[in-house]
């Protein structure tokens, strides 16, 4: 069975997490794999560094520039506008089906399992949420079945025939969703199937630090606005992320402006201070 291309959509702010995602994918990939990096203006230096780093690996990198949708609504501060590029991928990816993956992930298993997945007439496959999603604030009611958009296996022909991308963009232009493309995809795409349970595990941004990658999931997705590469981050995967980062050209790169947004930075500093205060309190009581 031929391998499905794996596609990321990013901008310059997400270059370090992309490099880590690629390094983790390289580690677990046992066969040649086409990897497409769709962007809206990735700096030539980043393209050169990544192409040079993975030129002798099983990953065959291709860079694809796409324009951001016209008339788009301003996204919540912790979302990159590049997330909207995923809605246009079916118009440019020529494979019958492909895999979309968020850049803020860590592969922990062989992606060959994604090639064996039978879509069985579904437009896409995704990881199902365990709870319904309440979208009444946007006038769309409660969705009893809801999926995460961090890992999608997409049937290109069905996605195009149903006009899913265009319908999603039209919804995003009219409504302010908390999770813009994810909420829109769930409203527009009802013919979806759930990925096998445990393939994609969401890692919350709070909790004890993990020393090793969990055994079992295909990939970990860093949910929440705090990410393991952010300054002052207390993310459980920060040690694992740094371990993979050392295997990329970005191991000495400083944090960029996108990692230092004042709202996110203030939240992380507050969590750090609260954590330190709790530790001091426990030490004093003992």
């Amino acid at each position: 069975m031929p391998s499905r291309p794996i596609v990321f959509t990013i901008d310059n702010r997400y270059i370090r997490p992309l490099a880590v995602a690629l390094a983790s994918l390289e580690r677990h990939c046992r066969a040649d794999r086409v990897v497409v990096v769709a962007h809206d203006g990735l700096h030539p230096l980043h393209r050169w560094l990544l192409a040079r780093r993975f030129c002798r690996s099983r990953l065959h990198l291709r860079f694809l520039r796409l324009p951001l949708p016209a008339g788009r609504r301003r996204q919540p501060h912790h979302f990159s506008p590049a997330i909207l590029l995923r809605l246009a991928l079916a118009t440019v990816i020529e494979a019958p089906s492909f895999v979309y993956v968020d850049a803020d992930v860590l592969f922990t298993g062989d992606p060959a399992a994604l090639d064996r997945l039978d879509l069985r007439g579904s437009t896409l496959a995704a990881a199902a949420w365990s709870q319904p999603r309440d979208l009444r604030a946007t006038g769309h009611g409660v969705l009893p079945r809801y999926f995460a958009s961090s890992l999608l296996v997409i049937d290109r022909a069905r996605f195009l025939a149903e006009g899913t991308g265009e319908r999603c963009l039209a919804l995003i232009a009219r409504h302010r969703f908390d999770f813009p493309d994810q909420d829109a995809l769930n409203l527009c795409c009802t013919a979806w199937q759930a990925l096998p349970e445990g393939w994609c595990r969401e890692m919350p941004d709070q909790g004890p630090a993990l020393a090793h990658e969990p055994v079992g999931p295909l990939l970990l997705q860093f949910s929440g606005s705090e990410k393991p590469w952010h300054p002052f981050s207390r993310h459980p995967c920060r040690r694992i992320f740094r371990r993979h980062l050392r295997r990329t050209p970005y191991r000495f790169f400083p944090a960029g402006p996108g990692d230092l947004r004042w709202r996110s930075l203030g939240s992380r500093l507050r969590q750090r201070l609260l954590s330190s205060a709790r530790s001091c309190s426990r030490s004093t009581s003992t």
Side-chain angles (χ1 to χ4, degrees), residues 88-108:
L89 291 176
T91 64
V92 292
I93 303 297
E94 297 180 354
S97 59
F98 60 93
V99 178
Y100 167 82
V101 186
D102 276 349
D104 57 346
V105 304
L106 195 73
F107 279 87
T108 57

Side-chain angles (χ1 to χ4, degrees), residues 104-169:
D104 57 346
V105 304
L106 195 73
F107 279 87
T108 57
D110 187 356
L114 295 167
D115 302 326
R116 298 189 292 268
L117 182 72
D118 185 0
L119 289 174
R120 301 191 301 272
S122 301
T123 303
L124 59 82
W129 274 25
S130 59
Q131 301 292 329
R133 173 85 168 123
D134 189 348
L135 292 177
R136 286 177 291 184
T138 63
H140 293 97
V142 177
L143 301 184
R145 295 182 70 239
Y146 188 86
F147 61 83
S149 60
S150 52
L151 172 61
L152 303 173
V153 183
I154 298 174
D155 183 300
R156 178 176 180 264
R158 287 184 61 96
F159 197 92
L160 289 174
E162 296 167 0
T164 306
E166 294 85 351
R167 291 161 54 213
C168 287
L169 290 172

Side-chain angles (χ1 to χ4, degrees), residues 72-100:
R72 65 188 184 278
R73 178 186 289 270
R74 184 180 177 86
Q75 305 303 314
H77 74 98
H78 52 279
F79 283 102
S80 163
I83 62 172
L84 300 181
L85 295 179
R86 81 180 80 181
L87 301 174
L89 291 176
T91 64
V92 292
I93 303 297
E94 297 180 354
S97 59
F98 60 93
V99 178
Y100 167 82

